[in-house]
Amino acid sequence: MAINITDQAFLEMIEQHKGMLYKVARLYCPDAEARRDLIQEMMVQLWRAFPKLDTQQRVSTWLYRIALNVAISAYRKASTRSIVSNDLPKNEILSAPAEADLEEDPRLGLLMQFIAELKELDRALMLLYLEEKDQQDIADILGISVSNVSTRVHRVKQKLATRFQQTTY
Amino acid sequence: MEELDLKALWQSYNHKLDHSIRLNQELLMEAKMTKVRRLLSAVRPVRIFAVITGIIWVLFLYLVLKVAWHADNYFLLVSAGIHTLVIHILLVISIFHLFLIYDMRQSEFVLKTQKQLAQFRQSTLLGIRLSALQMPVFTTFYLSEGFLINGGPIMWTVHAALFISFAAVGIWAFRNFVPANRDKKWFQFIVGDRETEALDKAEDLLDQIGEWEENV
């Protein structure tokens, strides 16, 4: 089946940012099988929203907003619904990277574990902070004020530092 | 843990994730290349069969040509001669295809395989076009001098019409079985078969691998 320009542009965009999708899914879904479904759900929602993507908007901000919304809402529902994705352009983006060696550093494993223990909004906040997003971007993506971002980031960092200290000693 | 440590730790995760995604893609592309090789292998038995039957047919045609030569049957001689020539070309094309399939299955270079696949398809079309162009000889091989002398105007007219229609269809097919018409329904109806499907799939997979290689 021939692939059209819109499909191609969408697939290229996803190809560039698939690591981001994986990271969001990793933080909200510990189970590898369910994570695949979650990434698929993200792709479906991104595909549906793609025609409305404003060219003035930063693609990564748009992607984070949708991916985080899907992840948080799936997390709240506790199980992802079955997905009808026949209209999604076919590709292999869903093939998740081999996970065995991703978190072999024990400190990285702990960081993941501690972030996973946070509330869902704080989790998203920490992800965006660690991804070097500025506070304005974080506020835009999460729909909260910049001052709220600043306060929360500070509090979450402290929480993580305490958890690391508790584990070390 | 300090802020910088946290970010450094996250960066190391990012690097590992990127590496893992790349590795995953490489494995995926390798799997696609294996599929291409399998698709090409599926075409090979048809070509082997074509070469074997082609050789047997050519041997039979040599016999026909010998008989026609000794019997001074020039209609049969010229018709069978043209047909033999076309069969020789088809045989060469089939043997060339077997070499191409062997080479493509060994090749690690996508661009080279894409070019060879294009050569394979072009030469297949050339074979079809030449086969079509020889069509009029099937309306002449059975003619004889006796027919020309004793046939009468009705028989001559019927045969002339038959010859002209075969020639017209042959020339039309020769001119129209070109890559530009590949997507047309009549083309796919006549040429489209399992081999075409397999080659389409292989071409598509090679395009995907080529695109990926360009972006790496």
Side-chain angles (χ1 to χ4, degrees):
Chain A
M1 192 174 71
I3 203 161
N4 67 39
I5 294 168
T6 317
D7 290 352
Q8 190 64 40
F10 177 76
L11 291 177
E12 275 170 17
M13 180 191 74
I14 294 293
E15 186 63 42
Q16 274 177 11
H17 296 89
K18 65 181 172 188
M20 182 275 275
L21 293 184
Y22 180 79
K23 277 182 268 187
V24 173
R26 172 67 188 82
L27 288 182
Y28 285 89
C29 193
D31 176 61
E33 197 58 38
R35 200 178 305 149
R36 199 187 291 262
D37 289 345
L38 179 58
I39 295 176
Q40 171 114 14
E41 176 73 30
M42 287 175 187
M43 298 259 295
V44 171
Q45 296 307 329
L46 287 166
W47 174 239
R48 283 183 183 156
F50 188 60
K52 289 175 236 155
L53 171 63
D54 184 356
T55 47
Q56 305 291 314
Q57 210 174 1
R58 275 171 62 183
V59 174
S60 67
T61 305
W62 177 81
L63 278 160
Y64 268 118
R65 187 181 302 135
I66 294 174
L68 282 167
N69 271 337
V70 174
I72 291 172
S73 125
Y75 179 77
R76 284 177 183 160
K77 276 189 225 164
S79 63
T80 52
R81 66 179 171 79
S82 65
I83 299 150
V84 179
S85 56
N86 290 339
D87 54 348
L88 196 66
K90 298 285 178 284
N91 73 332
E92 301 81 15
I93 284 160
L94 293 174
S95 58
E99 296 176 38
D101 60 341
L102 280 184
E103 289 161 33
E104 63 186 9
D105 179 347
R107 292 185 317 150
L108 193 52
L110 284 176
L111 178 62
M112 287 297 187
Q113 182 196 322
F114 298 153
I115 294 176
E117 287 169 4
L118 297 169
K119 286 178 188 163
E120 60 259 47
L121 189 67
D122 288 345
R123 226 179 283 180
L125 190 82
M126 209 52 210
L127 169 70
L128 296 168
Y129 165 78
L130 290 171
E131 287 287 306
E132 311 270 11
K133 290 275 167 199
D134 64 35
Q135 295 198 340
Q136 185 61 57
D137 274 349
I138 299 177
D140 287 345
I141 293 167
L142 298 179
I144 56 177
S145 68
V146 175
S147 61
N148 198 356
V149 169
S150 170
T151 319
R152 273 174 179 266
V153 165
H154 181 68
R155 208 168 50 215
V156 173
K157 273 195 301 187
Q158 273 189 330
K159 206 182 273 184
L160 289 178
T162 312
R163 289 292 282 124
F164 267 106
Q165 275 176 349
Q166 283 170 346
T167 316
T168 314
Y169 297 111
Chain B
M1 182 174 261
E2 294 298 318
E3 178 171 341
L4 278 177
D5 287 345
L6 271 183
K7 288 200 171 172
L9 203 52
W10 191 258
Q11 275 309 311
S12 77
Y13 173 61
N14 276 342
H15 287 311
K16 281 179 183 171
L17 184 62
D18 286 345
H19 175 72
S20 189
I21 287 173
R22 212 166 38 244
L23 195 72
N24 214 39
Q25 280 295 99
E26 278 171 20
L27 289 172
L28 198 71
M29 293 307 145
E30 188 49 48
K32 283 186 178 180
M33 204 60 198
T34 308
K35 198 171 177 190
V36 168
R37 291 190 189 110
R38 214 168 47 234
L39 286 165
L40 293 172
S41 298
V43 178
R44 197 172 43 172
V46 180
R47 291 300 182 277
I48 294 173
F49 178 77
V51 170
I52 294 169
T53 49
I55 289 170
I56 295 168
W57 186 240
V58 159
L59 292 175
F60 170 73
L61 286 172
Y62 287 159
L63 198 68
V64 171
L65 286 173
K66 197 180 169 188
V67 170
W69 177 260
H70 287 299
D72 292 333
N73 188 337
Y74 298 113
F75 284 102
L76 182 59
L77 194 63
V78 173
S79 304
I82 292 170
H83 180 58
T84 309
L85 182 68
V86 171
I87 294 294
H88 273 101
I89 296 170
L90 295 181
L91 254 177
V92 170
I93 290 173
S94 292
I95 292 166
F96 172 62
H97 283 177
L98 285 173
F99 276 113
L100 277 181
I101 292 167
Y102 175 79
D103 212 27
M104 285 191 281
R105 288 178 70 223
Q106 309 296 319
S107 175
E108 293 292 332
F109 302 104
V110 174
L111 195 65
K112 186 184 164 202
T113 314
Q114 279 176 317
K115 279 183 187 165
Q116 287 178 321
L117 193 60
Q119 282 180 322
F120 188 99
R121 303 195 90 152
Q122 275 172 0
S123 47
T124 303
L125 272 187
L126 178 69
I128 292 170
R129 295 169 71 204
L130 287 175
S131 302
L133 199 62
Q134 61 155 350
M135 276 173 68
V137 302
F138 295 106
T139 63
T140 53
F141 75 92
Y142 52 84
L143 296 180
S144 62
E145 277 179 47
F147 168 80
L148 288 180
I149 298 162
N150 308 317
I154 295 175
M155 284 300 275
W156 295 338
T157 312
V158 169
H159 267 91
L162 203 62
F163 177 83
I164 289 167
S165 40
F166 268 59
V169 171
I171 290 167
W172 178 87
F174 184 79
R175 287 169 60 100
N176 285 283
F177 278 103
V178 288
N181 290 331
R182 221 168 88 177
D183 292 331
K184 295 201 171 142
K185 275 189 179 170
W186 56 262
F187 189 100
Q188 286 173 351
F189 179 74
I190 297 167
V191 182
D193 54 9
R194 281 168 69 185
E195 179 180 305
T196 312
E197 256 177 53
L199 293 179
D200 282 347
K201 272 187 201 162
E203 200 175 73
D204 190 35
L205 288 168
L206 284 169
D207 285 348
Q208 289 174 30
I209 301 169
E211 239 172 65
W212 176 75
E213 282 188 348
E214 264 176 37
N215 294 326
V216 171

